[in-house]
Amino acid sequence: MGLGSFYRYRSELAPAYWWLGALLTGAWLHSAHPGWWPVPILAAGGALVLLIWRPSWLLRRWPLLGRWRVRLWAAAFAPCLAATVAVAAVYGPTAGDLPTYSALAGFGLALPWWWREDRRRLTRVRLIRERFPETAEQAGLPGARMVSAQVGKWGWSGRVKMRRGQHYADAVSAVPALESALGSRVGSVRVEAVPDDAAEFVLRLVETDPHAQPIKWEPRTNSARASITDPVTVGIFEDGTPVTVSFLRRHVLIGGATDSGKSGLLNVILARIAECNDTVVWGVDLKKGMELAPWSKVLHRLADDNESAEHLLQAAVDELETRAEFLTARGRREWYPKFDEPQLFIMIDEYAELSRKGQRLADSIARRGRAVAVCLLIATQRPTQKTMGEGSALRGQMNVRFCLRVNEAPDVDLILGAGKLRSGWDTTGFDAPGKFLVSAAGLDTPRRGRAYLITDPDVTATATAHARPGSVADTAASGLQSRSDGPAEGPETTGAPPAVSGPEMALWAALRDAPAEGVTVGTLQTATGKGRSWVYKRLKAGQVDHTLTQPAPGRWRLVSPTRDHPGHGTQE
């Protein structure tokens, strides 16, 4: 055991170091300041006060002090050290039987320190680190060494540096051999790339599966302020951190085999979207509405067959085109969701069942909808080229991709993208519904997560708590048509419910489509659902910046280059 071992095992030997330090401190006080013996007593009293008070900065620095057993041990160990220093300061560190009694007391109090489970785990991991070159040799990674290691709640992780010429992909291929060499259970070893060095990787061994039991659904506590502009939490990673994903102007793809938990994850995402007050959801459920019916209080439109799905998707295309014109007229390039100008989600369950026309419309939304916040949320089993439509660019437009358990390894690349399987994104071994890998901005390494378990009563409670005016349920309760079997009727000029367009765009669309003689303020109030003062304020602003004109008193329309500036128009 070399001198380096005294540093390497400094955590295990800490009680001995503290005891030796107490004797040395007492010796110094005895020779230089014997009258200072009350100082360590006062210091121990201060430590006891901190242990009882437990300020937040103390818990951040030493999280273990949050456990009562650790605080009880510290409350006994600190006075023992203080007494040793005080007695040594007065009588000297070698007086009488002081060294013997203090050593026995220190040893007795050190036993809980050494017996702690996390301490034993840390010692075991350090031994694994020291012997890792031999382990790597057995796993087919000769020359690899573990440069650092740390113990976590569910296992341990270490950073491994391989020889030059070896690559992270070699570590991915060696995962089964590493499991054997480490003597761990099947499926317990993870390898994660280190972005700044291809010859390094993070080796993670999960000793206790944190996803063995379902994770209870946790509704957002401050949902009154929730916004789709903020990332939302859909589950928990293996290390206990939340899976937070941004859905702002993002298309979402959920793929997985039967019974892999697609419906559960879809319900979690819908619940998070429902909690945001700047979103609107339309649904396409070709199982005759069976999956999305519980969300009828949240959905503004619901299609349950191909004909109504085509009408719904056509309305979505009309909406994105109108939004694009609106942004162009305002000199903007992106739609920023807010309460009265929300992001529109079109949720499509079992995309493969859509008709050819429906798939073409969805493809158009995928290519053009992001900037105007008209986004797709698609669930399917195998997003093959045939399933997603011939010549479809839809799969390539999916910005957020969830891959649950698949039966065939090549399906991983179909869902997450080419080359993902070779890079360690493998879900064929997932053994419980709701386990997934997610690929999105900022989530570019294969980290296993599990979605919250949201039960049918949870869905009902969430849909009721966040019910939307004008929803499918409201329409059905009014005795009107509850499904989107044709273009919407009424004062809207965009073919979409007022909640989708927002009053600003509804006003602009009504003025754009106004006849040559213009429209009245009353008509604009009906189109926007706003009061007279709100409408007049925006009309006056448009008149100042010369985008609006009054053909006659009390009538308004947008300025048209062909009608208001004939010289600049096209001559017949």
Side-chain angles (χ1 to χ4, degrees):
M1 185 173 178
L3 293 177
S5 298
F6 288 99
Y7 176 78
R8 186 178 303 115
Y9 294 99
R10 61 191 180 279
S11 181
E12 288 81 354
L13 297 174
Y17 293 161
W18 292 334
W19 173 77
L20 182 61
L23 289 180
L24 293 176
T25 302
W28 174 75
L29 288 175
H30 180 70
S31 62
H33 305 284
W36 288 11
W37 63 267
V39 173
I41 305 297
L42 294 174
L48 290 175
V49 170
L50 287 176
L51 288 172
I52 296 173
W53 181 29
R54 285 181 295 164
S56 57
W57 61 266
L58 185 69
L59 294 180
R60 283 196 300 269
R61 180 62 182 85
W62 291 287
L64 286 175
L65 290 177
R67 303 178 184 178
W68 70 269
R69 291 185 181 87
V70 176
R71 293 199 305 276
L72 181 63
W73 173 84
F77 194 74
C80 181
L81 282 182
T84 300
V85 174
V87 173
V90 175
Y91 299 105
T94 59
D97 294 327
L98 175 62
T100 303
Y101 289 139
S102 64
L104 289 174
F107 180 77
L109 289 171
L111 285 178
W113 175 271
W114 291 323
W115 191 250
R116 276 172 41 204
E117 181 183 355
D118 56 343
R119 184 68 50 200
R120 287 180 281 130
R121 289 173 60 206
L122 179 61
T123 302
R124 187 173 71 252
V125 170
R126 283 178 172 164
L127 292 174
I128 291 173
R129 176 187 170 189
E130 290 178 358
R131 300 169 183 171
F132 190 77
E134 179 183 348
T135 303
E137 184 79 27
Q138 295 170 348
L141 296 173
R145 56 190 177 88
M146 190 177 293
V147 296
S148 64
Q150 61 182 5
V151 176
K153 183 177 181 180
W154 307 106
W156 57 267
S157 62
R159 184 159 176 160
V160 177
K161 189 174 184 63
M162 297 180 288
R163 292 188 318 190
R164 290 301 169 187
Q166 293 177 328
H167 191 268
Y168 163 71
D170 298 325
V172 173
S173 303
V175 165
L178 284 169
E179 290 175 343
S180 174
L182 290 168
S184 61
R185 61 182 174 85
V186 175
S188 62
V189 169
R190 319 276 188 264
V191 293
E192 301 172 4
V194 175
D196 55 357
D197 194 336
E200 292 188 20
F201 67 92
V202 175
L203 173 65
R204 190 183 307 278
L205 190 140
V206 180
E207 296 174 322
T208 304
D209 187 1
H211 295 155
Q213 299 299 322
I215 304 169
K216 186 179 179 182
W217 161 251
E218 296 181 0
R220 194 192 297 254
T221 55
N222 59 341
S223 56
R225 300 181 180 179
S227 170
I228 199 63
T229 59
D230 300 321
V232 300
T233 303
V234 298
I236 301 293
F237 283 122
E238 280 184 326
D239 59 3
T241 58
V243 182
T244 55
V245 184
S246 174
F247 293 138
L248 175 62
R249 293 189 294 271
R250 297 288 188 270
H251 298 303
V252 183
L253 175 65
I254 302 173
T258 303
D259 296 329
S260 63
K262 288 195 306 297
S263 296
L265 177 57
L266 184 62
N267 280 330
V268 170
I269 294 176
L270 282 174
R272 290 305 189 203
I273 292 174
E275 290 175 339
C276 299
N277 58 14
D278 50 4
T279 60
V280 167
V281 185
W282 295 355
V284 176
D285 183 359
L286 299 182
K287 298 178 183 177
K288 293 300 179 182
M290 181 177 65
E291 295 290 344
L292 296 183
W295 294 102
S296 60
K297 294 182 180 180
V298 173
L299 301 173
H300 278 85
R301 299 183 75 159
L302 176 60
D304 60 5
D305 56 43
N306 266 308
E307 183 180 359
S308 58
E310 291 171 4
H311 285 302
L312 183 149
L313 292 169
Q314 182 61 60
V317 171
D318 295 341
E319 173 70 10
L320 76 84
E321 290 178 346
T322 305
R323 288 189 176 195
E325 291 182 40
F326 175 70
L327 291 180
T328 301
R330 296 298 177 91
R332 291 160 45 191
R333 301 186 64 181
E334 286 186 328
W335 187 275
Y336 295 95
K338 54 185 180 180
F339 176 74
D340 54 2
E341 295 181 7
Q343 177 164 322
L344 171 60
F345 285 97
I346 297 95
M347 194 275 124
I348 305 176
D349 191 22
E350 296 301 344
Y351 179 87
E353 301 301 320
L354 270 183
S355 65
R356 185 72 61 85
K357 179 180 178 181
Q359 290 184 350
R360 286 199 301 269
L361 292 169
D363 182 74
S364 178
I365 296 170
R367 287 184 287 106
R368 301 187 294 155
R370 275 191 58 200
V372 294
V374 177
C375 298
L376 296 171
L377 175 56
I378 294 176
T380 187
Q381 291 189 27
R382 298 184 74 241
T384 61
Q385 189 71 18
K386 181 179 179 180
T387 299
M388 305 302 279
E390 295 182 4
S392 171
L394 186 143
R395 189 175 60 189
Q397 298 294 330
M398 298 292 106
N399 316 102
V400 180
R401 304 186 184 200
F402 291 92
C403 183
L404 295 107
R405 177 181 55 81
V406 295
N407 295 328
E408 300 177 9
D411 289 351
V412 172
D413 285 346
L414 290 176
I415 297 170
L416 296 176
K420 289 292 188 180
L421 179 64
R422 190 173 59 252
S423 300
W425 299 69
D426 187 1
T427 65
T428 54
F430 285 7
D431 56 0
K435 291 187 175 183
F436 61 81
L437 295 177
V438 55
S439 175
L443 297 170
D444 49 7
T445 58
R447 300 176 63 194
R448 300 190 185 197
R450 187 166 189 181
Y452 292 118
L453 174 63
I454 183 168
T455 62
D456 290 342
D458 291 331
V459 169
T460 302
T462 303
T464 301
H466 302 285
R468 308 295 177 88
S471 66
V472 171
D474 279 355
T475 306
S478 302
L480 302 175
Q481 190 71 17
S482 63
R483 290 174 175 81
S484 57
D485 54 1
E489 298 179 359
E492 272 308 310
T493 59
T494 63
V500 175
S501 304
E504 292 281 359
M505 198 176 83
L507 176 66
W508 173 83
L511 292 167
R512 177 201 60 184
D513 298 336
E517 62 273 18
V519 293
T520 64
V521 172
T523 301
L524 298 176
Q525 286 182 252
T526 303
T528 60
K530 292 291 187 177
R532 196 175 187 87
S533 60
W534 185 94
V535 173
Y536 261 118
K537 181 179 179 180
R538 282 148 183 81
L539 291 177
K540 294 299 183 183
Q543 197 172 32
V544 169
D545 60 20
H546 305 293
T547 58
L548 297 180
T549 184
Q550 273 190 290
R555 290 183 171 272
W556 302 81
R557 62 173 171 79
L558 282 181
V559 172
S560 169
T562 57
R563 288 188 301 197
D564 301 309
H565 305 285
H568 298 134
T570 302
Q571 301 296 325
E572 296 185 351

